[in-house]
Amino acid sequence: RLSGARPPPRPLQPRLFAFAAACALRVAAALSATAPPRAAVAWTIAGSDSSAGAGVEADLATFRCLGVRGCAVVTALTAQSTQGVKAVLPTPVEHLETTIATLEADLPPAAVKTGALATAATARAVAAFLERTPDCRVVVDPVISSTSGKRLLDDAGLAALTAEILPRADVVCPNAPEAE
């Protein structure tokens, strides 16, 4: 390695690559030749990672790389670092629904990517939003637990995700344990 040279880039996480590919394809399809030129809008509906290694922070960075305007609907706040998740505070569903309605009125998405949903109430609110936006492309990353093993979706939430959100997905990109 030459002095001052940058280290080689890290490979993309498989789920990040799947989302990036799906988002790029879907955004291109969503833009109409008759629509005024503007950046496509994609939403991330996920938890906030205080270490910025995942969640809405990572999704928004991916959107920026793709030239897509990103909006965030935060489903939970986490206290975490590279060592693991210490605590999870779900967003009250009323606040989540207000965030969705506020963004929906001004910045409707061409694509939505879901991540950690935390609770059944959150999963049902997201499912209701997806039901009323049938033309929106949906990428589901079914985050159930953190890498360190902290549960990020309760059992009732998993049932709601499985019954109400997965059938609506265009792309599902689970980690290996979640796929099982």
Side-chain angles (χ1 to χ4, degrees):
R1 187 169 107 143
L2 299 174
S3 176
R6 290 183 177 179
R10 295 186 317 177
L12 288 174
Q13 296 284 337
R15 69 180 180 191
L16 183 62
F17 178 77
F19 173 63
C23 192
L25 291 172
R26 300 303 184 185
V27 167
L31 294 175
S32 166
T34 60
R38 67 177 209 173
V41 175
W43 291 8
T44 173
I45 304 177
S48 177
D49 173 356
S50 56
S51 68
V56 296
E57 293 80 6
D59 293 341
L60 291 171
T62 301
F63 295 162
R64 274 191 300 279
C65 288
L66 294 170
V68 174
R69 179 174 185 147
C71 297
V73 177
V74 178
T75 60
L77 300 175
T78 65
Q80 70 184 91
S81 67
T82 59
Q83 304 299 306
V85 177
K86 300 297 182 195
V88 179
L89 178 65
T91 301
V93 73
E94 298 81 16
H95 183 74
L96 183 98
E97 290 169 336
T98 300
T99 302
I100 289 171
T102 301
L103 288 174
E104 190 176 14
D106 185 39
L107 296 162
V112 168
K113 188 262 183 187
T114 67
L117 298 177
T119 68
T122 295
R124 286 191 294 272
V126 171
F129 162 69
L130 295 175
E131 182 67 29
R132 62 179 186 267
T133 56
D135 294 332
C136 181
R137 302 299 180 201
V138 180
V139 177
V140 175
D141 179 1
V143 178
I144 299 166
S145 299
S146 70
T147 304
S148 63
K150 181 78 170 179
R151 190 73 187 246
L152 299 174
L153 181 63
D154 62 25
D155 288 339
L158 180 57
L161 171 73
T162 302
E164 301 176 46
I165 296 175
L166 285 178
R168 178 67 173 75
D170 293 292
V171 176
V172 179
C173 46
N175 291 334
E178 295 159 342
E180 294 170 359

